[in-house]
Amino acid sequence: DAKTTQPPSMDCAEGRAANLPCNHSTISGNEYVYWYRQIHSQGPQYIIHGLKNNETNEMASLIITEDRKSSTLILPHATLRDTAVYYCIVRVYYSTLTFGKGTMLLVSP
Amino acid sequence: GAVVSQHPSRVICKSGTSVKIECRSLDFQATTMFWYRQFPKKSLMLMATSNEGSKATYEQGVEKDKFLINHASLTLSTLTVTSAHPEDSSFYICSASLASGRSYEQYFGPGTRLTVT
């Protein structure tokens, strides 16, 4: 699976949009971009995934660049409960999830 | 949605004893189950992958005789840490995979905090 690069940490004010970037310049054509998050001392939680089109669900939006070499996860109105480590993972649909270091997002009042 | 449970959520055991952690898929049959380990301030590391009725496949560096995995049914997998030592203290997380068409989504349990004294 392709590797990803994420900033180690980001801050966001409560109520503002949180935009978390991810670089995956070696992504292959059949690899999806997945986002998970892990709140402290809990198991990872699925957020969203996409192949090449932008995706939106009740939790977040995923914007994938046209060349698919990078993506951005958008939490439109961050709350304190969104404080977590966010993992961007690139995988073919049948491969096991492999976690990198992720981005620690701290949402402050 | 698919729910995965783990039991216990926390366990403290003495050095040299064994401890068993259960992972259950509550509302679906899991074709594959995974065990991860996470040390403080570190990312999740895959320990092993198991399919129901088959022997588990362990990642490099994970001792299969120390971390016994049993996947007896499509809804239950157990991880037994044998002869536990303080360095085995960690957060153990299981994951269950539901295969549906071209989708192989992994669903995660809440984790088990193991402390070996």
Side-chain angles (χ1 to χ4, degrees), chain A residues 34 38 41 91 93 97 100, chain B residues 36 38 43 102 104-106:
Chain A
Y34 278 76
Q38 186 180 25
S41 293
R91 67 188 283 238
Y93 71 94
L97 285 169
Chain B
Y36 292 80
Q38 186 176 33
S43 189
R102 283 181 59 85
Y104 284 74
E105 301 306 335
Q106 277 185 241

Side-chain angles (χ1 to χ4, degrees), chain A residues 32 34 36 38 40-46 49 87 91 93-102, chain B residues 10 34 36 38 42-46 49 91 93 101-111 113:
Chain A
Y32 291 76
Y34 278 76
Y36 279 77
Q38 186 180 25
H40 183 62
S41 293
Q42 296 183 23
Q45 177 189 21
Y46 165 81
H49 76 279
Y87 297 98
R91 67 188 283 238
Y93 71 94
Y94 52 80
S95 67
T96 303
L97 285 169
T98 302
F99 291 81
K101 296 181 179 180
Chain B
R10 291 178 175 271
F34 310 85
Y36 292 80
Q38 186 176 33
K42 299 293 185 181
S43 189
L44 286 81
M45 297 298 296
L46 180 66
T49 302
F91 192 48
I93 305 168
R102 283 181 59 85
S103 173
Y104 284 74
E105 301 306 335
Q106 277 185 241
Y107 301 92
F108 288 84
R113 176 79 58 193

Side-chain angles (χ1 to χ4, degrees), chain A residues 20-102:
Chain A
L20 292 93
C22 179
N23 286 323
H24 31 80
S25 58
T26 60
I27 191 170
S28 299
N30 62 345
E31 290 181 312
Y32 291 76
V33 180
Y34 278 76
W35 283 85
Y36 279 77
R37 73 179 182 184
Q38 186 180 25
I39 295 170
H40 183 62
S41 293
Q42 296 183 23
Q45 177 189 21
Y46 165 81
I47 301 173
I48 199 167
H49 76 279
L51 184 61
K52 47 186 171 183
N53 296 325
N54 297 337
E55 302 287 344
T56 296
N57 63 21
E58 64 278 4
M59 288 183 69
S61 295
L62 173 60
I63 308 298
I64 303 174
T65 58
E66 193 168 341
D67 62 7
R68 303 212 320 127
K69 292 185 177 182
S70 66
S71 61
T72 301
L73 178 74
I74 301 173
L75 307 179
H77 305 286
T79 70
L80 299 179
R81 288 175 293 182
D82 291 321
T83 292
V85 179
Y86 287 77
Y87 297 98
C88 169
I89 301 169
V90 173
R91 67 188 283 238
V92 293
Y93 71 94
Y94 52 80
S95 67
T96 303
L97 285 169
T98 302
F99 291 81
K101 296 181 179 180

